[in-house]
Every structure is written in structure tokens, then in C-alpha cells.
Amino acid sequence: NALDGEGLDEHLMNSAVKGDRDQDMEDVKKLSSEIAGSLFLKDVTRTSTDTFRKLREDPMFQIKQAEHRQKSELASNPLIMARIKEKRAREARKVKKAAKKEKKKARKEKKKAKKEAKRAKKAGASSSSSSDSSDGEQAPAPQSRGPASVATRRS
């Protein structure tokens, strides 16, 4: 039974299909122009023509085509292309210059912050020694290593 099913499938796959569809097409072709809707059956390419007509009459399509024509005209003119390239180069230089200024400003800010931190650390060290003296204990006075202080210590 299973072999018969496979044999039937094999037979159906290798045999030609009966032309019921072909018969339907013949019947459609025989229709006269008096029947409603038969006008559209005569011209097979009518739908593609209709589609192209809709595209050509579409205002957005016309705008896009006009823009495309203008761009191609500009691209074919060497003088205008040279101006465009020069303008792009100028804009690139401006962007590069602005980036360089930003980088320099960032470095300057970093340097200023580092200097302020150093100043704060130095001020914090001297203020901490004065805050220690307010507790009742005296911190030793900072000794400078200059020549004047050495001379006063020896005498």
C-alpha cells in the first residue's frame, strides 16, 4: 500500500498537468467587448502602463527627478565641483581648528585645576599647623633652608 502511494506520487510528478487553466484563458479571449469588464482583458500591459502613468504623474516623483537632474548637472560642471570641494575643505579646517581650540582649553583647565590643587594642599598644610597650635600644643615652626636662617642658627 505504501509502495503504491510512492508510485502514484512518482507518476503524478512526471506527468503533464491537464490544461484546465488553458481552457479558462481561451474562454476569456472569446468574450466580446459587450460584456462589462472585457475592455480591460484585451490589453495585457494595461496595468503596467497604468503604474508607469501614476509614477510619471506623481508630484513627489517629479520633484525627486528634478533634484536628480540638478545634481547631475552640477556634478558635470568642473567649476562648480571645484567650488564645492573648496567649501568642504574650508569647513573641514574650521572643524579641525575648533577641535584644536577645545583640546587646548581642556589642557589649560587641567593645568589650572592641578595648580589649584597644589595651592590648596600647600594652604591646607599651613592651616593645619595653625589649627594644631590652637589646641594648646605648639607645632615646631617650619624651618627654611635659606642662607639667612642658617646664619641665625649658628650665632
Side-chain angles (χ1 to χ4, degrees):
N1 221 354
L3 294 175
D4 291 337
E6 288 180 18
L8 180 62
D9 287 341
E10 187 70 29
H11 171 72
L12 289 175
M13 288 182 67
N14 291 328
S15 65
V17 178
K18 291 184 181 177
D20 290 340
R21 188 172 185 171
D22 293 334
Q23 184 62 35
D24 291 339
M25 291 302 287
E26 291 294 324
D27 292 341
V28 169
K29 287 180 184 177
K30 289 180 185 176
L31 291 174
S32 66
S33 61
E34 298 170 2
I35 298 175
S38 64
L39 177 66
F40 296 105
L41 297 173
K42 290 182 180 180
D43 190 12
V44 178
T45 61
R46 191 174 202 98
T47 57
S48 62
T49 306
D50 189 44
T51 305
F52 288 128
R53 181 186 56 79
K54 286 180 182 177
L55 277 176
R56 282 193 303 264
E57 292 175 2
D58 184 23
M60 191 61 170
F61 182 73
Q62 290 175 353
I63 291 169
K64 294 282 185 183
Q65 285 221 328
E67 288 176 356
H68 181 69
R69 279 193 299 272
Q70 287 176 349
K71 284 181 182 179
S72 63
E73 287 174 11
L74 290 177
S76 65
N77 189 340
L79 294 175
I80 293 175
M81 287 305 292
R83 286 182 194 156
I84 291 172
K85 285 181 183 178
E86 182 180 325
K87 185 177 178 181
R88 286 182 183 163
R90 265 189 271 130
E91 289 174 357
R93 282 193 299 265
K94 283 183 181 179
V95 168
K96 190 176 179 181
K97 190 175 182 179
K100 190 175 179 181
K101 279 186 177 183
E102 287 295 321
K103 191 175 179 182
K104 184 177 180 180
K105 187 176 179 180
R107 275 196 313 257
K108 205 172 191 179
E109 289 293 325
K110 186 178 177 182
K111 186 176 178 181
K112 186 176 180 180
K114 188 176 178 182
K115 196 172 187 179
E116 288 293 325
K118 190 175 181 181
R119 222 180 258 154
K121 184 179 177 183
K122 189 174 182 180
S126 65
S127 68
S128 66
S129 64
S130 63
S131 65
D132 289 341
S133 62
S134 65
D135 292 342
E137 300 175 16
Q138 277 195 341
Q143 299 176 357
S144 77
R145 297 183 178 217
S149 64
V150 174
T152 56
R153 283 187 210 153
R154 290 184 186 169
S155 50

